[in-house]
Amino acid sequence: TQSTWGAFQRPLSKMSGLMRSSVRILVVGDEQVGKTSLISTVVSEIFPEKVPAVQHPVVIPAELNSDRIYLTIVDSSSRPEDKSKTVDELRLADVVVLVYAVDRAETFTRVATYWLPEIKKYTQENKKGTAETKRALKVPVVLVGNKLDTRGQDTHSSQHLQHNVLPVLQQFEEVETCLECSAKAFLNISEVFYAAQKAVLFPTAPLFDAAERALKPAFEKAVRRVFRLCDKDKDGVLSDEELDGFQFTCFGAHLDAHELEGIKLVIRNQTHDGVTPQGITLAGFQYLHKLFIEKTRSETSWTVLRHFGYGDDLHLRPDIIDRSIRKADDQSVELTDRTVKFLTELFQQFNKSQDGSLSVEEIEDMFSVIPSFGLPWGSNLSLDRSTVTTPRGLPLQGWLSLWHMTTLLQYKTTFRYLPYLGFPHELDDAVKITGRRFKEMYKNRIRRDVIHCYIFGAPKCGKTCLLDSLIGRPFETSYTPTSCNRSVCNALKLDKDKETKYLVMTEYPEHEVTDVLTTNMEQCDVACLVYSRDAPDSFAYLIRLCNMIPRHVPIVFVETKADLPSTRQSSIQTPQEFCDAEEYAAPIRLSVKTDDTSALFRKLVDFALHPKKGVPAAALARPSPFSFKKVLLVSLLGVIAGGLAWKFYFSKRIMHQTSSSSSSSAAPADVKPSR
């Protein structure tokens, strides 16, 4: 067992992926507990008979440190008049060594009643982020009992640690570890500062709940993700080959057959479901990491975490999940084919029931590796309001529709989630940027796989019912006003080429419509303007909106509630007259309640891809290259002619002035002097 355990204890200084170059240690505690003596002894390796009141900061060069980092050890004063200096140092500290004297019980009592609350107060007040992030970034504390030599022969007794320190560990999770030492006897001195350094580089508190003896939720999610990434064949176990690959990837060394069998034996003896004939299960892999921490080998788990992209807060690092895309307003972001392939395979992997739909439990299992921010589209309960669903759950069509819509509306969300789910390529390969709509529209061929349609209309005209119809929701007879933005998406097969396009329809609440029309129409591929057959003022409402919609945006007019008796619209022109006069296509008449609406959705996609069908001819008028060159040539000739004319005029004027000057200078020779 010892040799097997050693398989995961290779040198880590080059493999651990440390994210810092220095550690600042602050030593605090009551007076006369030996703070300064500890620092002096570790530096000089000689116990000093006399020490200053406060030791100057000590810097240990990186060359003398196995982890190649600078170590700064700062002493402190416990006198009340020096508290402000101690507070300033607490705010700068990466780790705190809290010292008490084992021969003075009152100094240990003040550990829990004074020092730990003070440390927590001043080291957390400047931290930013969520409550979970603050917990993960707590400044660790190493609790040290000094003057162990005063116990006489019983210097190695652990009764004090077991009976007195354990309650402190359970109450204050920032206490990383505790140990006893003697500066005078030079006992465990180096271990104190190594433990402090280790508490910063490889902290246990974010990973392990000492009171419950269990992995913390964020770490458990990270271990689950690492397991999935190492499980290459996706069979739910790590084979010998996969476990050896994990070992080599993280630690740069292979496992031999004896070590592999020893690891399995340890897991098998401690768990009932950690090992199967095929390999190590997730439960067994989690137990391994629990064992690392309990054996004070947290650096092993941190090496794994950092190799797989995690930061100190147990979230993937920003350089892995954050990307910014430079694009024009009339360009959109879409998924690439390899991303669609990955998402399809992910769907099939977690559809354990093989019924063609992801259940709520299967979706939760898939996203169980996400730290704390849930699903990219909200809760499972809102899925049927965003895309097509079945009684069994979310089908592949709806699954892909959600991702296409998320990428179109918030591509950074897609970037944030794909690495957690195991996307095996660079994020730059996950999406593509469409061409400029303004350039493509003159060719009457917009190249898009995902079409964004804005739907507008007066209240109670049936906009929400149209959105529900797109995703297959049943018709609702009750009316609920739209209070916030709502987007839905579904896949459509076009009639001609049978290719699949994704239609995203977005409805805005009444109070946001004007702002959208004036500031956000560059993202709109086609506008659906809805009026109601039984609402006489509904088309006049659209005429006002139509004047605010940019002329290059294709428009489809829809008359809803065709199953009801017709009411004359209050507008001066009838809908047909208005469309004829403005060169728009005739309105589509339908009833969401009784008619098939699929033709309308296909028409919306068709108009978006071929904008000449939905905009006035003048909106797409473009001067021919010949006309432009002709105008440019005429302008250039005009400039040249003007320049020549000015040159001719200027030269004639100079000649005239020269002639006049010559005549004036010759005149006095002909004049006789007067008498």
Side-chain angles (χ1 to χ4, degrees):
T1 303
Q2 286 294 331
S3 61
T4 300
W5 174 245
F8 287 101
Q9 298 190 46
R10 312 300 167 100
L12 298 175
S13 59
K14 295 183 179 180
M15 302 295 298
S16 56
L18 298 180
M19 301 178 67
R20 58 167 63 238
S21 59
S22 64
V23 171
R24 188 178 182 89
I25 302 173
L26 176 63
V27 182
V28 301
D30 287 341
E31 288 186 297
Q32 302 299 316
V33 295
K35 303 186 296 296
T36 307
S37 297
L38 278 176
I39 299 174
S40 298
T41 303
V42 77
V43 172
S44 64
E45 298 186 357
I46 299 174
F47 179 73
E49 295 298 333
K50 294 182 180 181
V51 294
V54 177
Q55 175 75 46
H56 291 295
V58 174
V59 178
I60 299 177
E63 297 78 23
L64 302 180
N65 193 311
S66 61
D67 284 309
R68 295 296 185 265
I69 62 169
Y70 289 95
L71 200 64
T72 302
I73 305 175
V74 181
D75 197 4
S76 66
S77 170
S78 56
R79 295 182 302 178
E81 58 267 29
D82 295 329
K83 181 176 180 179
S84 61
K85 294 181 181 179
T86 302
V87 169
D88 290 340
E89 288 296 340
L90 280 171
R91 293 181 175 129
L92 297 174
D94 296 315
V95 57
V96 176
V97 172
L98 176 53
V99 184
Y100 66 93
V102 297
D103 62 339
R104 291 168 54 199
E106 71 276 10
T107 63
F108 179 76
T109 301
R110 278 172 51 83
V111 163
T113 60
Y114 174 77
W115 281 110
L116 286 173
E118 285 289 292
I119 293 170
K120 184 175 183 179
K121 175 182 177 182
Y122 292 112
T123 57
Q124 286 294 298
E125 63 181 13
N126 292 327
K127 294 291 186 295
K128 296 180 180 180
T130 63
E132 180 182 6
T133 301
K134 288 182 179 180
R135 286 194 297 271
L137 297 178
K138 282 183 177 179
V139 174
V141 176
V142 175
L143 185 58
V144 177
N146 192 21
K147 304 186 180 182
L148 184 58
D149 56 287
T150 59
R151 285 190 184 155
Q153 298 298 320
D154 195 23
T155 55
H156 296 285
S157 173
S158 61
Q159 293 181 357
H160 172 74
L161 294 177
Q162 292 178 348
H163 294 91
N164 298 325
V165 176
L166 185 58
V168 176
L169 288 173
Q170 295 174 339
Q171 182 180 357
F172 298 94
E173 62 177 8
E174 57 267 33
V175 178
E176 187 73 16
T177 187
C178 56
L179 64 162
E180 295 179 334
C181 69
S182 170
K184 186 174 183 179
F186 205 74
L187 182 64
N188 291 343
I189 301 301
S190 298
E191 286 78 359
V192 167
F193 293 99
Y194 176 72
Q197 174 181 305
K198 183 178 173 182
V200 177
L201 302 181
F202 314 108
T204 301
L207 311 182
F208 193 69
D209 188 327
E212 300 293 333
R213 297 188 69 247
L215 305 184
K216 287 191 174 180
F219 181 47
E220 190 275 330
K221 291 175 182 291
V223 171
R224 185 185 296 267
R225 173 177 173 267
V226 171
F227 179 87
R228 289 181 184 174
L229 294 178
C230 295
D231 181 17
K232 303 299 183 181
D233 56 9
K234 309 303 178 186
D235 63 350
V237 296
L238 294 184
S239 64
D240 289 355
E241 181 180 356
E242 290 169 338
L243 188 62
D244 180 61
F246 159 77
Q247 162 74 10
F248 184 79
T249 298
C250 295
F251 306 103
H254 289 287
L255 294 171
D256 58 35
H258 175 69
E259 290 172 329
L260 285 168
E261 289 304 316
I263 292 171
K264 293 180 184 178
L265 179 62
V266 171
I267 298 174
R268 190 179 293 112
N269 289 340
Q270 298 297 326
T271 66
H272 67 279
D273 57 352
V275 180
T276 70
Q278 290 74 36
I280 295 175
T281 66
L282 174 61
F285 193 66
Q286 290 172 333
Y287 173 76
L288 271 181
H289 285 276
K290 178 185 176 185
L291 192 60
F292 295 155
I293 297 170
E294 289 183 330
K295 296 291 185 180
T296 68
R297 295 290 298 178
S298 60
E299 62 266 40
T300 303
S301 291
W302 275 111
T303 300
V304 173
L305 290 171
R306 285 164 181 157
H307 176 81
F308 283 92
Y310 287 91
D312 292 344
D313 60 353
L314 295 182
H315 289 62
L316 290 181
R317 299 190 306 269
D319 63 290
I320 294 177
I321 62 175
D322 287 350
R323 292 289 190 282
S324 294
I325 293 177
R326 296 181 61 183
K327 68 180 186 66
D329 291 339
D330 62 336
Q331 291 178 293
S332 59
V333 183
E334 298 181 353
L335 298 175
T336 59
D337 291 341
R338 64 171 46 183
T339 309
V340 173
K341 181 176 182 292
F342 165 74
L343 292 171
T344 302
E345 293 173 349
L346 193 67
F347 177 94
Q348 295 167 347
Q349 176 188 346
F350 284 90
N351 184 211
K352 303 294 177 58
S353 59
Q354 297 185 348
D355 59 357
S357 295
L358 292 175
S359 65
V360 171
E361 293 75 19
E362 289 170 339
I363 293 175
E364 290 177 348
D365 182 28
M366 181 190 299
F367 285 90
S368 61
V369 296
I370 307 298
S372 59
F373 34 86
L375 302 180
W377 45 78
S379 68
N380 278 317
L381 300 177
S382 63
L383 290 181
D384 66 341
R385 286 184 49 80
S386 302
T387 191
V388 59
T389 58
T390 69
R392 296 184 302 275
L394 183 66
L396 179 61
Q397 178 178 331
W399 166 254
L400 294 178
S401 296
L402 285 173
W403 281 104
H404 279 291
M405 179 171 64
T406 300
T407 305
L408 176 75
L409 301 179
Q410 296 176 324
Y411 69 86
K412 289 190 175 183
T413 300
T414 299
F415 284 164
R416 189 182 190 187
Y417 278 83
L418 283 179
Y420 281 107
L421 296 175
F423 185 65
H425 309 287
E426 293 292 330
L427 280 184
D428 295 336
D429 299 328
V431 301
K432 59 185 178 182
I433 312 300
T434 63
R436 295 288 304 271
R437 187 188 301 108
F438 285 151
K439 293 182 178 180
E440 294 179 346
M441 64 188 298
Y442 292 110
K443 301 177 183 178
N444 198 35
R445 179 62 177 174
I446 305 296
R447 300 184 182 278
R448 298 281 195 280
D449 291 329
V450 185
I451 304 302
H452 197 181
C453 171
Y454 291 8
I455 184 168
F456 301 107
K460 299 184 179 181
C461 284
K463 303 185 295 296
T464 301
C465 291
L466 279 174
L467 265 65
D468 288 341
S469 178
L470 174 62
I471 59 176
R473 282 173 60 90
F475 179 78
E476 291 283 349
T477 57
S478 59
Y479 170 72
T480 302
T482 300
S483 58
C484 60
N485 297 357
R486 180 192 174 197
S487 295
V488 302
C489 182
N490 201 357
L492 298 174
K493 290 281 189 182
L494 301 187
D495 291 334
K496 293 182 179 180
D497 45 19
K498 299 297 182 182
E499 65 177 328
T500 300
K501 300 292 183 182
Y502 289 85
L503 177 61
V504 176
M505 295 187 73
T506 300
E507 178 186 7
Y508 297 94
E510 182 68 19
H511 64 275
E512 293 185 14
V513 169
T514 300
D515 184 59
V516 171
L517 289 171
T518 54
T519 64
N520 197 29
M521 290 302 291
E522 299 300 336
Q523 304 298 321
C524 177
D525 294 310
V526 59
C528 181
L529 302 189
V530 181
Y531 66 98
S532 177
R533 186 181 182 90
D534 66 339
D537 296 327
S538 58
F539 192 77
Y541 176 90
L542 293 185
I543 293 177
R544 292 193 296 272
L545 295 188
C546 202
N547 294 328
M548 302 173 66
I549 296 177
R551 298 287 281 176
H552 65 270
V553 177
I555 294 177
V556 176
F557 288 91
V558 178
E559 179 184 272
T560 59
K561 304 182 183 180
D563 56 318
L564 299 179
S566 177
T567 301
R568 180 174 178 80
Q569 294 293 323
S570 62
S571 55
I572 298 176
Q573 296 174 300
T574 65
Q576 186 63 58
E577 291 171 344
F578 176 83
C579 291
D580 291 342
E582 298 294 330
E583 298 182 321
Y584 290 114
I588 298 176
R589 295 177 175 84
L590 56 80
S591 169
V592 178
K593 183 177 181 180
T594 60
D595 297 338
D596 180 9
T597 56
S598 59
L600 166 64
F601 301 132
R602 285 195 296 270
K603 186 169 186 176
L604 290 171
V605 173
D606 186 40
F607 274 41
L609 298 178
H610 306 93
K612 286 186 178 180
K613 297 181 180 182
V615 300
L620 295 180
R622 186 179 189 181
S624 66
F626 175 77
S627 299
F628 176 75
K629 292 180 180 179
K630 185 175 180 181
V631 170
L632 181 61
L633 180 61
V634 171
S635 301
L636 183 60
L637 290 175
V639 171
I640 295 173
L644 292 174
W646 172 254
K647 182 178 181 181
F648 177 77
Y649 168 76
F650 189 69
S651 62
K652 292 289 287 181
R653 185 173 182 180
I654 292 177
M655 290 176 62
H656 175 73
Q657 290 177 349
T658 304
S659 175
S660 300
S661 300
S662 300
S663 300
S664 299
S665 60
D670 298 330
V671 176
K672 296 180 179 180
S674 59
R675 293 181 180 270

